[in-house]
Amino acid sequence: LQFLYFIGHYTQMSLSCLLPSLMAIVLSAPSKPHILFMLIDDLGWADVGYQGADFPTPNIDDLAMNGIQFDKYYVQTVCSPSRASLLTGRYPFSIGMQHLLTVQPGSTAHIPMEQKTLPEYLKDHGYATHMVGKWHLGYAEWRFTPTGRGFDSFQGYMQGMCDYYTKNVGAGDFINGYDFWVNKTADKAANGTYNLDLYTATVKATVNRSITEHPEKPTFVYFSHQIVHVPLEYPPVNNSLCVHKTPEFRKMYCNMMSVLDASIDDLVTFYKASGIWDDTLFIFSTDNGGMVGYQDHFPASAGSNWPLRGGKTTLFEGGVRGVAFVNGGVNVVPEEARATRLSVMMHISDWVPTLLEAVGGAEAVPAGLDGVSLWENIVGAGSTPTPPPKRTEIPVNIYVEDVTYASIIVGDWKLINGPLTHVDSYDGYWTINPYTRLPPPEATVHEYLFNLAEDPTEERNLAPQNQSMVAFLKSRIAYYVNATYRPPQFNVFQPEADPIFHHGLWEPFL
């Protein structure tokens, strides 16, 4: 396609003049697509305009409406398990990363070293691999951090959150440290600058350097956004369309989504101006359901998963059914696939095999992954007939330790087995405008059965009258426990990790 475009554009040039330039393009252009993967932190089902939000997200909406949306896309309940699954193609419970309360500051938990990661796979296919943003997958040793797990470069933070300006992270009332890095060096100069501005500039500079110095190498950029995770903080520039939002933290949330939207447009424009958008695969995904305003102070947030029930940390749809879509250039995304919405099941672990098939064909997908490739479904969206679904079930979460906190979907049926991780006030529905909580249809119990085809908002618990289906779904959970389950890794703050022993830094401590 590049060859034909070049010919058409320069028809007035003589063949003798064309040939050297054509040879240069053929020899230098990467044969595989560039990949720009944007993971949005704590984005709720109804936090973008095309899903019903009253926030100004026109650029995200345009990309989604002209791309391939995923309607039954499932993620984990909290940050680290989702990220571990995304980067390994494994269910979190297969690698001991299924922590209920995510990886804690000062923890030794990490992606097991024997488990290959997405950037490591992509390097085998000739990719330059770069990451900006939130890691949150282990840092006790340098080899657990991004540059030890396949990324050529990294800018960002190791913990689950940090202040958007000061880069400080607290753990309890008396422990606090600085957490912002460029590869293995603490970047103190970043103190005071809004994180999103730093990340956007770094992606531009990194990609520009890569395509200039190594034009034959495709780039993989994992942009692991901090927005819209707490602490909610106003960005440097605010949107007048958010001024009337109430309460105050909802107004902050609106402004944060607005600058996220502008940043994404800025990067897409940069990719186009650099001449690589036509050969780029763009992926947009949340890491878990939106954190809702279950109380009026930290760590509650202001997300909405309306009309879905619950939010982050819960096994209700609002906690695990995620926003995601694919877009990209004309050489990557077929025209007939655009402006479609896929109804096939997808799990966040499916991205590793999907992307590997996209860059290397079906034979590039290794054995032993939990995820399955949906590349055929993506490029075949809009075709007749559409490719068949690759999944009939998703083990949404399996944690079988001191408590059971498990959920599985098989066909239309969903089982939730185990207590909520928050007080009962976290259950319910959070509307959009006005932003308020509607209580759940019944008191919180420890066992739910829903028919999602008939009841996608999980209002009718069918467990009491359909114990045979409950038993069947429990048997499917038992299958996974017997097949691949590993106990969660030790996930407790270690005193030697205290930043007071590390020049005020959250740095590796083993």
Side-chain angles (χ1 to χ4, degrees), residues 253-406:
Y253 203 94
C254 177
N255 279 291
M256 293 168 76
M257 285 301 302
S258 178
V259 296
L260 171 67
D261 184 75
S263 168
I264 290 174
D265 181 56
D266 189 17
L267 283 180
V268 170
T269 300
F270 163 77
Y271 269 65
K272 290 178 178 178
S274 300
I276 61 173
W277 177 256
D278 284 352
D279 298 301
T280 295
L281 177 63
F282 176 89
I283 301 158
F284 180 99
S285 168
T286 187
D287 65 338
N288 44 247
M291 173 65 89
V292 296
Y294 66 94
Q295 59 187 24
D296 60 3
H297 56 275
F298 183 88
S301 185
S304 174
N305 303 293
W306 179 261
L308 305 180
R309 182 174 179 175
K312 178 180 178 179
T313 80
T314 77
L315 291 168
F316 295 120
E317 293 288 274
V320 296
R321 188 175 172 191
V323 174
F325 65 83
V326 163
N327 202 309
V330 295
N331 297 335
V332 183
V333 179
E335 187 61 31
E336 62 271 17
R338 296 182 184 275
T340 58
R341 192 170 177 101
L342 285 177
S343 60
V344 297
M345 282 186 186
M346 184 177 189
H347 184 257
I348 194 168
S349 64
D350 296 335
W351 284 117
V352 168
T354 298
L355 292 177
L356 290 180
E357 181 171 352
V359 306
E363 63 275 11
V365 179
L369 298 180
D370 295 319
V372 296
S373 173
L374 273 74
W375 184 242
E376 181 186 14
N377 299 91
I378 291 171
V379 296
S383 63
T384 303
T386 57
K390 303 301 188 296
R391 282 185 171 277
T392 58
E393 68 180 42
I394 294 177
V396 178
N397 190 73
I398 299 181
Y399 183 95
V400 186
E401 298 297 323
D402 50 333
V403 297
T404 295
Y405 195 58

Side-chain angles (χ1 to χ4, degrees), residues 129-328:
T129 58
H130 305 284
M131 177 184 172
V132 296
K134 171 176 170 176
W135 177 237
H136 207 195
L137 288 171
Y139 79 105
E141 300 181 34
W142 281 118
R143 64 193 181 113
F144 301 161
T145 68
T147 54
R149 297 315 321 259
F151 288 103
D152 296 327
S153 69
F154 168 65
Q155 180 197 53
Y157 57 108
M158 305 292 187
Q159 310 302 331
M161 64 179 177
C162 73
D163 187 277
Y164 286 78
Y165 292 94
T166 69
K167 320 297 186 271
N168 284 333
V169 178
D173 295 330
F174 305 105
I175 300 173
N176 192 63
Y178 190 84
D179 188 16
F180 201 80
W181 303 84
V182 174
N183 299 325
K184 296 181 180 180
T185 301
D187 184 9
K188 295 291 189 69
N191 187 354
T193 302
Y194 192 64
N195 277 355
L196 181 59
D197 298 338
L198 292 169
Y199 299 145
T200 305
T202 294
V203 170
K204 288 181 179 180
T206 302
V207 171
N208 183 66
R209 183 170 59 252
S210 182
I211 63 176
T212 300
E213 297 177 359
H214 302 284
E216 78 288 352
K217 291 178 73 72
T219 60
F220 168 57
V221 175
Y222 172 43
F223 195 153
S224 179
H225 279 275
Q226 181 172 1
I227 287 177
V228 276
H229 199 288
V230 293
L232 299 184
E233 296 179 88
Y234 280 112
V237 178
N238 294 299
N239 193 316
S240 61
L241 296 176
C242 298
V243 69
H244 299 298
K245 296 288 183 292
T246 56
E248 186 70 19
F249 54 82
R250 185 71 170 166
K251 186 187 300 184
M252 289 185 193
Y253 203 94
C254 177
N255 279 291
M256 293 168 76
M257 285 301 302
S258 178
V259 296
L260 171 67
D261 184 75
S263 168
I264 290 174
D265 181 56
D266 189 17
L267 283 180
V268 170
T269 300
F270 163 77
Y271 269 65
K272 290 178 178 178
S274 300
I276 61 173
W277 177 256
D278 284 352
D279 298 301
T280 295
L281 177 63
F282 176 89
I283 301 158
F284 180 99
S285 168
T286 187
D287 65 338
N288 44 247
M291 173 65 89
V292 296
Y294 66 94
Q295 59 187 24
D296 60 3
H297 56 275
F298 183 88
S301 185
S304 174
N305 303 293
W306 179 261
L308 305 180
R309 182 174 179 175
K312 178 180 178 179
T313 80
T314 77
L315 291 168
F316 295 120
E317 293 288 274
V320 296
R321 188 175 172 191
V323 174
F325 65 83
V326 163
N327 202 309

Side-chain angles (χ1 to χ4, degrees), residues 435-450:
Y435 185 68
T436 188
R437 173 182 176 263
L438 301 180
E442 78 287 309
T444 301
V445 296
H446 285 192
E447 186 173 85
Y448 294 90
L449 176 68
F450 299 110

